[in-house]
Amino acid sequence: MNIAKSGYRVFSANSSVACTELAKKITERLGVELGKSVVFQESNRETRVDVKESVRGQTIFIIQTIPRDVNTAIMELLVMAYALKTSCAKNIIGVIPYFPYSKQCKMRKRGSIVSKLLASMLAKAGLTHIITMDLHQKEIQGFFSFPVDNLRASPFLIQYIQEEIPDYRNAIIVAKSPSAAKRAQSYAERLRLGLAVIHGEAQCSESDMADGRHSPPCVRNTTGHTGLELPPGKQQAPFPGIELPIMMAKEKPPITVVGDVGGRIAIIVVRCCEFTLCSRRWLSRQLLCRLVIITFFFKSHLWRLIHRQ
């Protein structure tokens, strides 16, 4: 295909093996050439991007995977988008298989909603559209001022289960935590399988995704003089006439499995960053059944399904 007549071009936002391989596969499928650009780090670790061809009036797709150095990958994407914007590109579309900071999408105690911050940065850099997969929460799309395509991997994972796991009819879908039960239920309904839920201390609880800040604050009795008290007669309670309850600390129960998994194939669908080898070994011993973990292996950012038994 003639790139000049196609009206769009594809660029790779970094020179890592995974990103380059993914960009080459996409351009081969589309029948176009990969855009010419150079992305590198200065001696002081600053990111520099040089676009080696004209992109005026073109629609540009930026392929960006997220390696271990997440912040560097974000800066590469931002700097390249801004370079294309100042080069008069018509539209700039980011293709990000795994959207970084998507788990920080709700307020926790006195933290921040980093997903909203990143969405604002991407819009300011010049991106006009994003294509990603399986956002941690669908509501993240509301943080953006431009369209977001949130693709789903479940059809491919379901096909993999049906084709690669012998006797999958004797399996049960296991949610890694109560917060993951909704996603696990979706897989269970599509595969016509049962559902079990892991609950307890060993798993990462997402119950803290609520605001979590102490409001109203705890009332503390001070026996000594700190020098910060108001003069007698001017001290006021936060809510006069209302006795505030003492905030109780959270205590997770011992880890348990809700559901019958004995003698069956336990299938857990997670992201690779959500499940540890220690957790897998514990489950293999406690569940007394075959354990299959199917993960979105975003380290390479190419579709790889890991089948562990």
Side-chain angles (χ1 to χ4, degrees):
M1 180 183 294
N2 191 324
I3 298 179
K5 294 181 179 180
S6 65
Y8 66 88
R9 295 183 184 178
V10 180
F11 285 84
S12 174
N14 64 58
S15 58
S16 65
V17 176
C19 190
T20 303
E21 185 179 353
L22 180 59
K24 286 182 178 180
K25 287 183 178 294
I26 292 175
T27 53
E28 289 174 0
R29 182 64 179 250
L30 295 175
V32 299
E33 295 180 3
L34 187 62
K36 298 177 181 179
S37 64
V38 178
V39 182
F40 60 96
Q41 303 291 323
E42 298 278 8
S43 58
N44 61 353
R45 303 300 296 171
E46 289 184 358
T47 300
R48 181 178 292 273
V49 174
D50 290 331
V51 180
K52 298 296 186 180
E53 55 185 293
S54 174
V55 295
R56 182 180 297 273
Q58 298 278 334
T59 296
I60 307 299
F61 290 85
I62 305 176
I63 311 298
Q64 176 62 310
T65 59
I66 307 299
R68 288 184 179 274
D69 193 351
V70 177
N71 296 328
T72 298
I74 292 174
M75 283 305 302
E76 290 172 345
L77 179 61
L78 292 172
V79 174
M80 173 163 278
Y82 191 70
L84 294 169
K85 176 184 176 181
T86 55
S87 298
C88 299
K90 182 179 180 181
N91 295 305
I92 304 173
I93 303 173
V95 181
I96 314 171
Y98 176 69
F99 190 77
Y101 288 101
S102 62
K103 296 189 71 174
Q104 300 188 45
C105 59
K106 293 185 179 181
M107 180 68 74
R108 296 189 182 186
K109 297 185 179 179
R110 292 178 178 83
S112 60
I113 306 176
V114 185
S115 294
K116 171 62 177 175
L117 172 63
L118 183 55
S120 301
M121 293 169 63
L122 293 173
K124 191 68 176 179
L127 285 168
T128 59
H129 197 134
I130 277 182
I131 302 174
T132 186
M133 298 195 72
D134 286 308
L135 288 171
H136 185 66
Q137 296 288 342
K138 295 180 180 179
E139 291 77 10
I140 294 176
Q141 299 176 73
F143 294 159
F144 294 86
S145 59
F146 51 79
V148 177
D149 284 332
N150 181 29
L151 307 182
R152 301 181 63 182
S154 56
F156 301 98
L157 298 178
I158 290 173
Q159 181 182 2
Y160 175 82
I161 292 172
Q162 293 173 334
E163 295 179 354
E164 300 296 332
I165 300 179
D167 194 23
Y168 80 93
R169 291 292 183 185
N170 187 36
I172 184 170
I173 304 296
V174 180
K176 70 177 182 67
S177 63
S179 61
K182 184 176 180 181
R183 181 173 60 184
Q185 181 183 3
S186 175
Y187 283 89
E189 291 175 351
R190 286 176 169 82
L191 291 167
R192 309 296 192 270
L193 300 176
L195 178 66
V197 180
I198 299 173
H199 177 55
E201 189 174 5
Q203 298 300 319
C204 295
S205 172
E206 301 210 0
S207 58
D208 292 334
M209 282 199 291
D211 193 305
R213 291 175 290 184
H214 296 309
S215 179
C218 299
V219 178
R220 298 180 180 178
N221 296 325
T222 57
T223 57
H225 180 73
T226 62
L228 300 177
E229 294 86 352
L230 293 174
K234 295 186 178 181
Q235 295 184 9
Q236 294 182 354
F239 301 95
I242 301 178
E243 184 178 353
L244 300 179
I246 299 176
M247 301 296 290
M248 300 296 294
K250 295 180 181 180
E251 183 177 351
K252 299 178 183 178
I255 188 166
T256 56
V257 179
V258 181
D260 183 16
V261 297
R264 307 177 71 177
I265 303 173
I267 300 176
I268 306 178
V269 181
V270 296
R271 293 178 177 89
C272 64
C273 59
E274 295 178 343
F275 217 74
T276 63
L277 183 60
C278 180
S279 299
R280 188 172 73 88
R281 289 173 178 172
W282 184 93
L283 287 174
S284 298
R285 294 194 303 266
Q286 297 295 323
L287 298 183
L288 300 177
C289 62
R290 288 180 56 196
L291 179 63
V292 176
I293 299 177
I294 300 177
T295 175
F296 312 159
F297 198 54
F298 284 119
K299 183 177 179 181
S300 65
H301 302 285
L302 299 175
W303 278 113
R304 295 181 183 177
L305 303 177
I306 300 179
H307 181 195
R308 298 175 176 172
Q309 298 185 13

